[in-house]
Amino acid sequence: MSLRDYPLVQAVCRWSTVSLGTLCLVVIAIAFAAPEGERIGGIIVRAQKKPLPWRVLETEEVQNGVLIPENANIVFHLPLNLPDTHREVLLGHQGKKVRYWGYCFPQNYDPQVAKKRTGFPGLIFLSEKEREMRDPPHAAAGKPSFSIYELPTKEDIDNPDGPKSSIRNQIEIFGAGMMCYVMTEKPLALGPDEDGDRLNAELEHEIGTNRQTPDTDSDGIDDGTEYLTGTNPLLRDTDSDSLVDGLEDKNWNGKQDRGETDPRARDSDRDGLCDGICRVKLGNGKAVFLGEDLNLNGRLDQGETDPLKFATRGNYNDYSWRINCMNNNNQPEGCK
Ligand SMILES: [Ca+2]
Ligand SMILES: [Ca+2]
Ligand SMILES: [Ca+2]
Ligand SMILES: [Ca+2]
């Protein structure tokens, strides 16, 4: 079998720059080495009958951020100035939801040396979802090894040096100059993370955050943490309780820790009063501003109720206590 047998391979390599060179040929040759009907494209997209398209993503496209299309054979070349980047950051945090897999060759990969070795020639990577699908009961049992036709099992991945495994390496950290092949069942955002907020340039473009500013909305929590933990990276006060996200999530880690209110919920203790100040319509139809942290400083001061306690002052729940405070004739103690 020769590459000359595949005009498409030649075409793909013609599209690529000279810098892709031999590696392009190697990446594509490995993918095409599978017999007709058993190409790697068929692994994820089993029902696909017609040949899957090929596309080469140049370093400039990757540098700017680019969408990896679904159900296609994609070769991409990482920029030479790319710092070490985690797979999930480079490929847009879809690993738990989307099946994708691929392999890479390092910048100094030597096809001649690799020929003398046994096993798979590149460094393989798989999404978490793909690993899950390879794990019984999802995957067919009894296939611990893999080739270009058979992806690795979870056992292989967990124990790459085990006696049954033929995996040479798996990669989670991608580096400068790597040449990679990938196939995915859904589009993936690919690009560098220039501002270090764990969102790559393409993903930032998609969600509207600034690719060169780690905290686009200046609320204290970086774009990546907000995107991954469910606050809005474009809104300083996600839950509209008048307290900015970074004042609720005091250590800016995206989790609601002890002593913190929830930036995703207006009323963290569900006592009827929002954590900060909110407009509330009373039974008589009158709209008033009520809440717990009345001076919006993130601390419990005199005359305020605790946004983390349903009944700060014992007998009444905080909402009832505050309503009673508004009754000039019968105010409980402690009203501001
Ligand atoms: Ca950013
Ligand atoms: Ca932010
Ligand atoms: Ca808030
Ligand atoms: Ca409350």
Side-chain angles (χ1 to χ4, degrees), residues 111-288:
Q112 293 309 317
V113 173
K115 263 187 195 170
K116 295 171 189 157
R117 296 184 184 148
T118 57
F120 195 82
L123 307 171
I124 197 162
F125 60 91
L126 296 93
S127 69
E128 287 80 357
K129 183 73 179 173
E130 184 61 31
R131 292 177 209 188
E132 186 190 312
M133 297 305 285
R134 295 277 139 196
D135 197 21
H138 297 292
K143 291 186 177 176
S145 65
F146 86 103
S147 68
I148 196 69
Y149 318 112
E150 295 167 12
L151 282 173
T153 62
K154 187 166 184 301
E155 187 188 349
D156 288 323
I157 293 158
D158 292 342
N159 186 18
D161 300 322
K164 293 177 181 174
S165 177
S166 64
I167 290 187
R168 178 172 297 144
N169 269 305
Q170 54 168 327
I171 40 170
E172 289 294 272
I173 304 296
F174 290 68
M178 276 182 169
M179 165 77 79
C180 304
Y181 168 91
V182 66
M183 168 167 288
T184 174
E185 64 171 353
K186 292 198 178 137
L188 299 174
L190 168 69
D193 175 17
E194 295 159 313
D195 56 6
D197 62 5
R198 291 182 295 154
L199 298 183
N200 72 45
E202 178 65 13
L203 190 51
E204 298 227 45
H205 173 71
E206 269 177 31
I207 63 182
T209 48
N210 187 325
R211 61 188 279 179
Q212 280 158 352
T213 304
D215 180 10
T216 299
D217 60 4
S218 303
D219 64 359
I221 310 174
D222 71 40
D223 296 340
T225 302
E226 297 217 57
Y227 174 79
L228 294 169
T229 61
T231 52
N232 188 334
L234 296 169
L235 210 54
R236 284 167 61 78
D237 178 14
T238 296
D239 57 6
S240 305
D241 62 3
S242 309
L243 289 170
V244 297
D245 296 344
L247 203 56
E248 302 207 58
D249 177 11
K250 292 183 170 62
N251 59 1
W252 305 342
N253 69 351
K255 295 179 195 144
Q256 189 188 355
D257 299 305
R258 200 182 168 86
E260 293 179 343
T261 52
D262 187 347
R264 292 158 290 258
R266 302 176 98 195
D267 181 7
S268 295
D269 57 7
R270 300 184 183 185
D271 59 5
L273 287 179
C274 77
D275 299 336
I277 300 175
C278 301
R279 193 168 181 271
V280 180
K281 211 169 184 182
L282 300 177
N284 59 9
K286 200 174 157 191
V288 292

Side-chain angles (χ1 to χ4, degrees), residues 23 48 104 130 186 199-200 203 299 301 304 320 330:
L23 273 180
Q48 191 95 18
C104 295
E130 184 61 31
K186 292 198 178 137
L199 298 183
N200 72 45
L203 190 51
R299 290 195 299 271
D301 300 304
E304 293 179 340
S320 306
N330 188 23

